[in-house]
Amino acid sequence: MRKAIQAVRGMNDLLPDVVERWQYIESVTRDVLSAYGYREIRLPVLEKSELFARSIGSETDIVEKEMYSFEDRSGDNLTLRPEGTAGVVRAGIENGFLHNQIQRLWYAGPMFRHERPQKGRYRQFHQIGVETFGVDSPDIDAELILICARLWRNLGLNGLTLQLNSLGTDESRKVYRGELVNYLKQLKSRLDDDSLRRLEKNPLRILDSKNPAMQKIISGAPSILDYLDEPSLRHFEMFGDYLKQAGISYAINHAMVRGLDYYTRTVFEWTTDRLGAQSTVCAGGRYDRLVEHLGGKPTPASGFALGMERLADLLALHSDGVRTKHPHAYMILLGEAAQKHGLMLSERLRDAELHIECHCGGGGLKAQLKRADRRGARFALLLGDEEIRNRSVSVKDLRDGGAQSSVSQEKLVEYLHEKLGRRSKT
Ligand code: HAM
């Protein structure tokens, strides 16, 4: 036998049980976002590589080591998007929907990063991202947090913790960076290899190190919040006031720097202690310079993205979080005449908004009943030669100890609706 081909490492198949959980998250998210006036945008998965180098930053891990980049047949250097923000900004500039406008947008889809796969960290993963443009005041940042909080509530999730920081402006960060490098250089002999490598190129990322041996050094580092310019400080304080007013608790983490270089001022992460090492479920912040940096007119912006895999894992731990979709009834077909008739009878029931799974492929009563049970159907509808002759169906209530009644085909819709406690539409 030939060896079976397997999926690419770090890229997962999403099987039906998992997809149901995802659809639930997607539908709750869609409802929440539209309640806040956010509109969906759909963008290509491939972009020119330069877009990510210029936005995420050429010295970040993502751009240095994790991008799926290649030259296509026309010789263009392209990259499978590692995140969604850069593409939204590119599309906004290209389609002229950013300048002098307030935009509230969201997107969902796969992202690609060549990271070391582990639980909660994959090479193809999925985000729902939310981006706002045109508002520079912290009320919009607070709105983003309120959206997240409502989402967790509506999904039935608890125990998520919000961490905040402010990265100030490019100018204030430059001053801070100098101070941080001075501090770290004094401790150079104690830095790990990763930190030594980052010391000159991207020293703020050292603060994000997970190496236990680095934690003491990190906690003793100067705080970026002590170097904020006055307007950024005021912005951050107002943001905190909005959250307090809304009853949302948070912790300030001055070592939170994020892995993408486009952020300015407020950044935030929602984390959980229930998922192990990959604990950040949702993250984002303000990126007031990015539109300009990518060739647009100066436009303030702010947003976040949530990780679908992590959120779905978290939801799975809350057993009452997802309602699996079961058919209302499973149509059991016994004999040739029933097989012929059953497809059309199922159609009529579906016209009346009943969810019917119709047995295909033949087989005996026992096997079909077993399948009805496995699919979690409330009723089994039995159709055999006798039922066809009488223009009836034998309805077996699978939750009521299998009680069986003969119902005329004409009255079937009404009967099922009544049993399901729904008002019949016919
Ligand atoms: P990010 O922090 O790189 O930000 O990713 C956001 C979320 O995506 C993470 O918190 C995590 O839940 C999920 N995620 C990231 N990488 C992986 C992975 N390899 N496997 C599984 N899940 C992952 C961004 O991408 C920004 N674009 C967010 C943003 C939008 N900022 C402003 N607007």
Side-chain angles (χ1 to χ4, degrees), residues 83 85 113 115 120 122 127 131 258 262-263 280-281 303-304:
E83 60 103 52
T85 310
R113 295 183 194 174
E115 296 191 78
Y122 308 103
Q127 288 183 340
E131 314 289 356
R258 311 275 301 120
Y262 50 60
Y263 291 108
T280 308
V281 171
F304 68 81

Side-chain angles (χ1 to χ4, degrees), residues 255-322:
M256 186 173 75
V257 289
R258 311 275 301 120
L260 308 98
D261 278 355
Y262 50 60
Y263 291 108
T264 49
R265 293 191 169 165
T266 309
V267 289
F268 61 88
E269 291 189 358
W270 288 92
T271 56
T272 171
D273 56 11
R274 303 186 68 187
L275 290 180
Q278 303 309 316
S279 59
T280 308
V281 171
C282 171
R286 193 162 260 289
Y287 49 98
D288 291 336
R289 304 296 294 274
L290 183 60
V291 178
E292 193 182 352
H293 196 66
L294 289 176
K297 304 237 170 67
T299 307
S302 192
F304 68 81
L306 53 85
M308 282 297 289
E309 284 78 1
R310 295 180 194 179
L311 202 57
D313 280 352
L314 193 58
L315 196 64
L317 298 174
H318 291 69
S319 52
D320 55 350
V322 192

Side-chain angles (χ1 to χ4, degrees), residues 180-200 203 206-207 209 211 213-218 221:
L180 181 65
V181 170
N182 283 344
Y183 165 79
L184 292 168
K185 274 188 172 158
Q186 287 165 26
L187 305 168
K188 209 167 171 177
S189 59
R190 288 166 54 200
L191 299 184
D192 62 9
D193 287 350
D194 231 20
S195 304
L196 282 172
R197 197 174 50 78
R198 285 175 167 150
L199 190 57
E200 300 300 334
I206 296 175
L207 300 176
S209 166
N211 182 354
M214 288 292 299
Q215 297 314 306
K216 208 159 165 211
I217 297 176
I218 291 168

Side-chain angles (χ1 to χ4, degrees), residues 16-17 20 324-330 332 357 359 364-380 398-399:
D17 282 351
E20 275 174 8
T324 310
K325 286 181 205 130
H326 301 297
H328 295 127
Y330 192 90
I332 290 178
E357 199 166 311
H359 190 84
L365 174 63
K366 210 166 147 203
Q368 295 194 42
L369 263 176
K370 206 163 153 194
R371 171 120 188 113
D373 200 46
R374 211 176 321 131
R375 292 292 299 121
R378 164 78 192 274
F379 299 103
L398 298 175
R399 280 204 217 136

Side-chain angles (χ1 to χ4, degrees), residues 347-366:
E347 280 296 281
R348 267 185 34 220
L349 299 178
R350 293 183 193 115
D351 288 344
E353 290 178 19
L354 289 160
H355 293 190
I356 307 297
E357 199 166 311
C358 182
H359 190 84
C360 288
L365 174 63
K366 210 166 147 203

Side-chain angles (χ1 to χ4, degrees), residues 41 73 80 84 112 146 154 170 188 195 202 297 360-361 386:
I41 186 166
R73 288 167 197 274
L80 279 169
F112 303 85
L146 289 172
N154 290 7
D170 289 351
K188 209 167 171 177
S195 304
N202 202 348
K297 304 237 170 67
C360 288
E386 196 185 320

